């Protein structure tokens, strides 16, 4: 029989505990989110993009075009391996981040203390709680002494809450359904929370999936993850292109057969045009861009669990962020001091402090545990070392008074060799009582407390006294204290947060803070972070709103305070229902449902929980909020570059298809055969997959608003621009082709001239599509190593074709004179100048329209 605080505890018998363990299962959460390498491979193989790549390669093999098939299969293998490596790496990192064994627990069984594995704790067990323990299950306190619990994993709030013992009356269920984590003065403690002060004994009410942390984990299984919009659009584009290719191939075969009468040649012509229009580049672009994007984003400290989330983050319109551990550092720090003279001092590193401030910090530290685990006491000791210039004592106080429910103040008595000094700290009202302050002085102190609390600062009052002898009084009230001042502690804003939020604002990304903290504290933290505009909506007010009313309030609210986990989920879903693309950050278990429900869930890797990480698409390995902005920048860059690559692909296929069809209408020999198109594809494929992927961001990438969520990648303007590029290129080549042919130039020489002219125009189309804005400087001098390699490779291949007779015979080329080579080069330069001129006209028209609007609105 164990006795604590006069209460006898016997606990469960070993036999009863073993039987409950057998019937109810171990005290652990099921790991449904873990994926083996086998499951990852199956998921990747089921991706439609990879299936299209593999199918395209097989089609080319059946057509007998091994070169194109090998190139396509190489890209498929590259994408497959990169994706497998990236997602396997993600799982390994997550496995390293999680605790590999459940916390051990001290329980009372058969009347004796027994240390067991946390997974063996059962309902009805008596948990012995001591400072520093991680609580193994949900329980109700039957005994408690000065017990403070950190429940931030469940509530998101870093400040510990006080707990009191309370045995339910006879007939009560003892269940905690009506209460939730985070309450001050509750008898309930929860699995996963941490004891930061005091001790206690608690009877277990729930284990495993039945705990509060387990219920949140289970709720994730009913939330569906949306398919990425870009993937859906690419599938639509690929289908459209495939159908178009089939129709054109059919037209070519029919026209050739009817006009020429040679149906075998008609089939060969159909194969050539089909090769030129098969949409294999589209899935190549998406697969390679996403795989390389995951690698790039990993370099800034972001782990990508689902690569499609990178592009989605680039289109985010709303970023919902929690406060503790995301905007703040999730640690207490001494922020402000108040002296009885009325002086208020804001502490800054490197800034000297007065002797009165130094004495106040020293007193607060001496009134704390010499070896603290309480976050506030740790902060006071750190401040003593930083600002007061002294280290914590290795000795212990000779006597201590602990916190009491009726007197929330603690005092330590130290013998300094001359006197027995008493140092006290606690709730301001309690310390005012100890100091027996007059009403006017007390009101002055309370006004200072209120001013600090309104800025989100936790305030403690500090006082000193002396003990006349070692006959310790029964209560701290028996000594007369002198007020030393007030110490204000706060969870500091991360240094990178204000700049990151400012950049989000410039980029049109609306940042919304969702916290369980009080409204005044939430507004203070939001203002420090740079979230200054908008209304505050509390959880109580939120409950009173129906969905339609909430949708209207969301347009004006930027801070949500006193929010419960299920309310976070409702907020995210309401934003999504309003057409927003929602990113959600979080680290606690309470954030997991909203992380999974958001379009992009972003978990903290360092301080985050396993449940939060497994529910998210991205994990910030260094808990650096600014990495979110870098990720958004990368996401926008990736989307821009995908659009550039797609525009290039459409444009470059117009002249290829046109040159395949043109001879049919004029009764001329077929100009481009399968081998020519395969050779051109050897240029096109690496260009669209590697060169455009490596393009740097546009200068205004984070200065423009997010794209409209319903906007399609292939907008009418983009289609017109791409077809116009290809149409001008085709018109120039067609004019040269017909002029040379009608001038009696041999077919093999015309073919060589047109082929090299087409290569020059492909290079021109690359340069034109490198940037959305007109700039010849950008076209030629924007840094891109991949482009340099491709241009060198094109020059080398062109040189080999010109110098090797065998290559000319294989390609059915005749000799080409230097004047024709200059003409081919001129076709490329001419196309570049024409298209850059078109872009310049469009840019001027846009600027003129913007200026006109500016003038009409009076410059507002």
């Amino acid at each position: 029989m164990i006795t604590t605080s006069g209460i006898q505890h016997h606990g469960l018998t070993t036999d009863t505990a073993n039987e409950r363990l057998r019937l109810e299962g171990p005290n652990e959460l099921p790991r449904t989110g873990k994926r083996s390498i086998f499951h990852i491979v199956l998921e990747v193989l089921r991706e439609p993009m990879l299936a299209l790549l593999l199918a395209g390669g097989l089609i080319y093999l059946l057509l007998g075009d091994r070169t194109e098939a090998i190139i396509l299969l190489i890209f498929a293998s590259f994408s497959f391996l990169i994706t497998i490596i990236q997602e396997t790496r993600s799982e390994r990192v997550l496995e390293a981040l999680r605790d590999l064994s459940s916390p051990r627990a001290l329980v009372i069984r058969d009347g004796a203390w027994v240390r067991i594995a946390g997974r063996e704790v059962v309902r009805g067990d008596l948990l012995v709680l001591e400072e520093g323990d991680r609580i193994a299950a949900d329980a109700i306190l039957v005994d408690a002494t000065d017990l403070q619990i950190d429940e931030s994993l469940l509530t998101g709030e870093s400040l510990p809450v006080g707990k009191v013992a309370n045995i339910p009356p006879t007939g009560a269920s003892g269940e905690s359904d009506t209460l939730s984590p985070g309450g001050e003065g509750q008898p309930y403690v929860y699995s996963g929370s941490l004891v930061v002060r005091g001790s206690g004994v608690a009877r277990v009410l729930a284990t495993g999936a039945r705990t509060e942390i387990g219920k949140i984990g289970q709720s994730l299984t009913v939330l569906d993850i949306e398919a990425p919009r870009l993937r859906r659009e690419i599938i639509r584009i690929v289908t459209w292109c495939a159908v178009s290719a089939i129709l054109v191939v059919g037209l070519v075969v029919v026209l050739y057969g009817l006009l020429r009468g040679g149906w075998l040649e008609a089939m060969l012509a159909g194969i050539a045009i089909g090769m030129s229009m098969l949409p294999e580049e589209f899935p190549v672009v998406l697969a390679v861009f996403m795989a390389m994007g995951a690698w790039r984003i990993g370099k800034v400290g972001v782990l990508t669990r689902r690569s499609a989330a990178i592009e989605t983050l680039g289109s985010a319109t709303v970023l919902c962020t929690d406060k503790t551990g995301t905007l703040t550092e999730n640690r207490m720090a001494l922020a402000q001091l108040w002296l009885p003279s009325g002086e208020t001092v804001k502490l800054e590193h490197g800034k000297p402090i007065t002797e009165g401030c130094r004495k106040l910090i020293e007193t607060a530290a001496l009134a704390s545990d010499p070896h603290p685990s309480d976050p506030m006491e740790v902060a006071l000791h750190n401040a003593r070392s930083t600002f007061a210039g002294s280290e914590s004592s290795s000795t212990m106080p000779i006597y201590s008074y602990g916190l009491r429910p009726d007197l929330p103040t603690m005092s330590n008595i130290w013998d300094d060799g001359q006197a027995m000094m008493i140092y006290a700290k606690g709730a301001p009202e309690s310390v005012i009582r100890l100091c027996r302050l007059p009403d006017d002085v007390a009101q002055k102190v309370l006004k200072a407390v209120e001013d600090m609390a309104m800025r989100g600062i936790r305030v403690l009052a500090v006082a000193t006294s002396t003990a006349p002898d070692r006959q310790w009084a029964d209560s701290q009230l028996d000594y007369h204290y002198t007020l030393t001042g007030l110490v204000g502690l706060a969870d500091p804003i991360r240094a990178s947060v204000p700049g990151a939020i400012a950049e989000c604002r410039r980029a049109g990304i609306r940042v919304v803070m969702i916290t369980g903290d009080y409204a005044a504290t939430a507004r203070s933290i939001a203002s420090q972070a740079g979230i200054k505009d908008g209304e505050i909506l509390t959880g109580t007010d939120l409950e009173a709103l129906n969905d339609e009313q909430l949708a209207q309030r969301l347009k004006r609210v930027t801070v949500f305070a006193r929010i419960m986990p299920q309310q976070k989920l409702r907020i995210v879903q309401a934003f999504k229902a309003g057409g927003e693309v929602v990113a959600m950050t979080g680290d606690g278990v309470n954030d997991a449902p909203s992380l999974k429900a958001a379009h992009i869930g972003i978990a903290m890797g360092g301080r985050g929980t396993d449940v939060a990480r497994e529910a998210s698409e991205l994990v910030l390995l260094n808990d650096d909020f600014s990495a979110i902005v870098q990720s958004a920048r990368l996401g926008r860059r990736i989307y821009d570059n995908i659009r550039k690559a797609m525009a290039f692909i459409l444009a470059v296929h117009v002249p290829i298809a046109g040159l395949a069809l043109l001879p049919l209408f004029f009764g001329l020999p077929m100009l481009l055969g399968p081998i020519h198109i395969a050779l051109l594809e050897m240029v096109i494929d690496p260009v669209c997959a590697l060169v455009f992927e490596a393009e740097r961001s546009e200068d205004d990438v984070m200065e423009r608003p997010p794209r409209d969520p319903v906007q399609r990648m292939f907008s009418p303007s983009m289609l017109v621009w791409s077809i116009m590029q290809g149409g001008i290129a085709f018109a120039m080549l067609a004019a040269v082709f017909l002029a040379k042919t009608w001038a009696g130039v041999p077919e093999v020489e015309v073919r060589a001239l047109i082929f090299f002219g087409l290569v020059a125009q492909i290079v021109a189309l690359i340069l034109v599509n490198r940037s959305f804005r007109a700039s010849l400087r950008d076209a030629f001098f924007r840094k891109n190593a991949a482009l340099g390699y491709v241009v060198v490779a094109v020059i080398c291949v062109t040189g080999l074709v010109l110098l090797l007779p065998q290559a000319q015979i294989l390609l059915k080329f005749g000799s080409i004179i230097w004047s024709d080579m200059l003409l081919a080069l001129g076709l490329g330069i001419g196309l570049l100048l024409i298209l850059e001129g078109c872009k310049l006209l469009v840019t001027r028209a846009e600027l003129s329209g913007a200026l006109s609007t500016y003038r009409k609105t009076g410059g507002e």
Side-chain angles (χ1 to χ4, degrees):
M1 189 80 67
I2 300 294
T3 301
T4 61
S5 301
I7 301 175
Q8 293 183 335
H9 307 292
H10 184 275
L12 297 178
T13 65
T14 301
D15 291 341
T16 301
N18 290 338
E19 180 64 15
R20 288 188 181 177
L21 182 63
R22 184 184 67 82
L23 294 175
E24 300 179 4
N27 178 36
E28 60 186 8
L29 301 180
R31 288 188 174 183
T32 56
K34 183 181 177 181
R35 299 180 297 164
S36 66
I37 181 67
F38 177 73
H39 287 96
I40 292 174
V41 170
L42 286 181
E43 286 180 12
V44 176
L45 287 175
R46 285 199 299 265
E47 289 290 323
M49 296 302 109
L50 181 63
L52 282 171
L53 285 171
L54 296 174
L58 292 176
I59 290 172
Y60 279 120
L61 282 176
L62 293 176
L63 293 175
D65 186 359
R66 294 183 180 179
T67 302
E68 186 68 16
I70 290 172
I71 292 173
L72 202 59
L73 292 174
I74 287 174
F75 273 115
S77 301
F78 173 76
S79 171
F80 176 77
L81 290 175
I82 287 291
T83 306
I84 292 294
I85 291 170
Q86 181 65 31
E87 300 217 0
T88 303
R89 174 177 172 266
S90 298
E91 293 303 319
R92 284 203 307 268
V93 174
L94 287 172
E95 192 66 22
L97 289 171
R98 66 169 114 242
D99 293 326
L100 298 180
S101 60
S102 57
R104 296 184 65 79
L106 184 62
V107 299
I108 300 175
R109 288 187 181 171
D110 298 315
W113 285 6
V114 182
R115 182 76 66 178
I116 62 173
R119 69 185 307 275
E120 297 175 5
V121 172
V122 298
R123 181 175 52 84
D125 258 331
L126 288 179
L127 292 176
V128 178
L129 307 179
E130 298 175 328
E131 190 171 307
D133 285 349
R134 181 74 65 179
I135 299 175
D138 287 4
I140 184 169
L141 289 166
V142 297
D143 188 12
T145 303
D146 188 18
L147 190 62
Q148 297 275 320
I149 306 291
D150 176 1
E151 296 180 344
S152 60
L153 292 185
L154 287 162
T155 66
E157 301 311 313
S158 58
L159 292 178
V161 290
K163 298 292 183 177
V164 296
N166 181 26
I167 303 176
T170 304
S173 65
E175 297 295 334
S176 57
D177 301 76
T178 59
L179 293 176
S180 58
E184 187 78 29
Q186 284 188 16
Y188 296 101
V189 294
Y190 299 91
S191 176
S193 53
L194 180 69
V195 180
V196 297
R197 180 200 291 278
S199 60
V201 177
R203 179 168 55 84
V204 174
L205 299 176
T207 61
R210 294 172 290 277
T211 61
E212 287 297 314
I213 194 172
K215 291 175 184 176
I216 294 175
Q218 284 184 313
S219 70
L220 300 177
T221 60
V222 300
L223 296 174
D224 295 326
I225 299 176
E226 289 188 16
R229 301 183 186 200
L230 181 59
R231 180 182 301 172
R232 297 198 303 267
E233 187 171 358
I234 290 295
I235 292 173
R236 181 182 62 83
I237 294 169
V238 168
T239 303
W240 176 78
C241 289
V243 171
S244 300
I246 292 172
L247 293 176
V248 172
V249 167
L251 177 64
V252 168
V253 172
V254 171
L255 285 177
Y256 203 106
L258 292 177
L259 297 176
R260 305 286 181 90
W263 289 99
L264 181 58
E265 292 181 355
M267 292 297 295
L268 292 175
I271 289 173
I273 193 65
M275 288 174 57
S276 70
M277 296 190 66
L278 275 177
E280 80 279 0
E281 291 96 348
F282 292 122
V284 166
V285 165
L286 186 63
V288 172
F289 274 49
M290 292 299 102
M292 292 298 293
W295 173 73
R296 291 185 188 281
I297 203 172
K299 293 173 68 177
V300 300
V302 179
L303 176 69
T304 307
R305 300 202 71 219
R306 299 288 184 273
S307 58
I310 303 170
E311 179 277 328
T312 311
L313 181 59
S315 63
T317 59
V318 173
L319 173 56
C320 298
T321 174
D322 65 343
K323 175 179 71 71
T324 305
T326 306
L327 296 180
T328 67
E329 296 181 0
N330 197 24
R331 66 174 182 85
M332 298 304 293
L334 191 58
Q336 192 167 316
L337 305 175
W338 181 88
L339 299 174
S341 63
E343 180 185 3
T344 299
V345 179
K346 184 178 180 181
L347 293 179
E348 298 178 11
H349 283 284
K351 180 180 178 181
I353 60 174
T354 64
E355 180 61 25
C357 292
R358 191 196 66 77
K359 180 182 177 183
L360 176 56
I361 295 173
E362 282 275 3
T363 303
L366 290 169
S368 305
D369 190 323
H371 306 289
S373 58
D374 182 292
M376 290 187 292
E377 294 190 336
V378 170
L380 292 172
H381 279 282
N382 289 338
R384 182 187 186 191
S385 174
T386 302
F387 295 104
S390 57
E391 299 296 331
S392 299
S393 174
S394 59
T395 60
M396 300 294 290
I398 57 176
Y399 192 78
S400 297
Y401 292 95
L403 296 170
R404 295 197 333 233
D406 61 330
L407 188 64
T409 298
M410 67 171 294
S411 295
N412 288 335
I413 304 178
W414 296 83
D415 188 349
D416 63 4
Q418 297 179 352
M420 288 176 288
M421 295 298 301
I422 306 177
Y423 302 98
K425 75 174 191 326
E429 296 85 353
S430 176
V431 174
I432 287 173
R433 183 181 170 196
L434 290 178
C435 295
R436 300 175 176 86
L437 296 179
D439 288 345
D440 58 334
V441 178
Q443 289 303 315
K444 179 182 176 183
V445 175
L446 292 175
K447 179 62 169 60
V449 171
E450 182 181 356
D451 291 343
M452 294 168 74
M454 287 297 292
R455 292 191 294 275
I457 297 175
R458 180 74 173 267
V459 184
L460 297 174
V462 179
T464 61
S465 183
T466 57
D469 51 45
R470 291 179 178 262
Q471 300 299 316
W472 314 125
D474 294 334
S475 169
Q476 299 173 77
L477 291 169
D478 295 326
Y479 298 104
H480 181 77
Y481 287 81
T482 301
L483 181 68
T484 310
L486 303 176
V487 292
L489 299 109
D491 187 0
I493 291 287
R494 291 179 182 272
S496 60
V497 165
I501 289 179
E503 188 165 2
C504 284
R505 187 182 298 111
R506 290 194 298 271
I509 302 172
R510 181 181 170 199
V511 180
V512 175
M513 188 175 83
I514 305 175
T515 177
D517 215 334
Y518 291 98
T521 303
R523 168 54 74 195
S524 174
I525 296 297
S527 297
Q528 294 176 49
I531 308 173
K532 298 179 180 178
D533 302 324
E535 301 177 2
I536 297 179
L537 184 66
T538 65
T540 303
D541 295 335
L542 177 64
E543 284 297 315
L545 300 177
N546 59 34
D547 290 344
E548 184 177 348
Q549 292 170 329
L550 177 59
Q552 292 300 317
R553 290 294 300 275
L554 287 181
K555 299 175 183 178
R556 304 187 298 274
V557 175
T558 54
V559 176
F560 294 86
R562 302 305 289 169
I563 297 297
M564 299 301 294
Q566 64 272 22
Q567 293 175 325
K568 287 187 178 183
L569 179 59
R570 186 185 174 197
I571 292 168
V572 169
Q573 291 173 331
F575 273 124
K576 290 173 64 179
E580 305 284 1
V581 179
V582 184
M584 171 73 192
T585 72
D587 59 355
V589 175
N590 63 320
D591 296 321
S594 48
L595 284 171
K596 187 171 183 180
H599 293 104
I600 316 106
I602 309 168
M604 299 296 162
R607 298 179 186 271
T609 58
D610 297 340
V611 177
R613 286 191 288 265
E614 291 184 356
S616 63
E617 285 78 31
L618 303 176
V619 179
L620 304 185
L621 296 179
N622 300 320
D623 290 359
D624 185 358
F625 184 85
S626 64
I628 298 174
V629 181
Q630 297 181 60
S631 302
R633 178 186 292 274
L634 276 171
R636 292 188 176 194
R637 165 186 165 177
I638 289 169
Y639 184 79
D640 282 351
N641 289 346
I642 289 175
R643 292 189 73 231
K644 294 173 185 177
M646 297 299 184
F648 167 77
I649 292 169
L650 279 181
V652 82
H653 278 79
V654 171
I656 294 176
L659 291 173
L661 288 169
L662 183 64
L664 299 180
F665 293 98
F666 290 92
L668 299 174
M670 191 169 67
L671 187 63
L672 299 179
I675 191 169
H676 304 106
I677 296 174
L679 193 58
L680 291 171
E681 291 290 330
M682 291 180 68
V683 176
I684 295 171
D685 286 350
V687 164
C688 63
L690 299 179
V691 172
F692 284 108
E693 191 282 328
E695 279 296 327
R696 65 176 175 84
S697 303
E698 294 289 312
D699 293 338
D700 66 342
V701 69
M702 292 298 282
E703 303 295 332
R704 60 180 189 245
R707 72 178 188 274
D708 189 334
V710 300
Q711 175 189 344
R712 295 187 181 277
M713 173 179 290
F714 281 91
S715 61
S717 59
M718 179 181 171
L719 285 171
V720 170
W721 171 238
S722 296
I723 293 172
M724 187 181 80
Q725 291 182 73
I728 294 173
F730 169 65
M732 296 173 69
L733 290 167
V736 173
F737 167 65
L738 293 176
K740 288 288 185 178
T741 300
W742 290 338
V745 177
E747 172 192 335
V748 290
E749 293 183 12
V750 173
R751 180 177 292 114
L753 169 61
I754 296 301
F755 180 85
F756 289 124
L758 183 56
V759 170
Q761 290 196 329
I762 289 174
V763 174
L765 289 174
I766 295 171
L767 298 177
V768 167
N769 286 284
R770 294 188 68 194
S771 175
F772 294 131
R773 297 288 180 180
S775 172
L776 285 173
R777 179 182 60 82
D778 281 353
F780 284 101
F781 300 111
R782 276 168 66 112
K783 185 178 180 181
N784 188 330
L787 176 60
Y789 299 144
V790 168
V791 170
V792 169
V794 169
I795 293 173
C796 291
V797 171
T798 302
L800 289 174
V801 172
L802 288 174
L803 297 175
L804 293 178
Q806 296 86 347
Q808 295 174 10
I809 294 172
L810 179 64
L811 296 172
K812 298 179 181 178
F813 285 173
S815 59
I816 181 169
I817 58 177
W818 286 108
S819 59
D820 281 348
M821 282 300 297
L822 291 175
L823 175 58
L825 183 61
L827 288 171
I829 294 173
L831 179 65
L832 174 63
L833 294 176
I834 291 171
L835 294 179
E836 285 293 331
C838 292
K839 286 165 64 176
L840 182 60
L841 291 175
V842 171
T843 300
R844 286 180 175 175
E846 290 176 350
L847 291 174
S848 176
L851 181 60
S852 176
T853 302
Y854 179 80
R855 286 171 176 167
K856 289 179 181 178
T857 57
E860 296 179 359

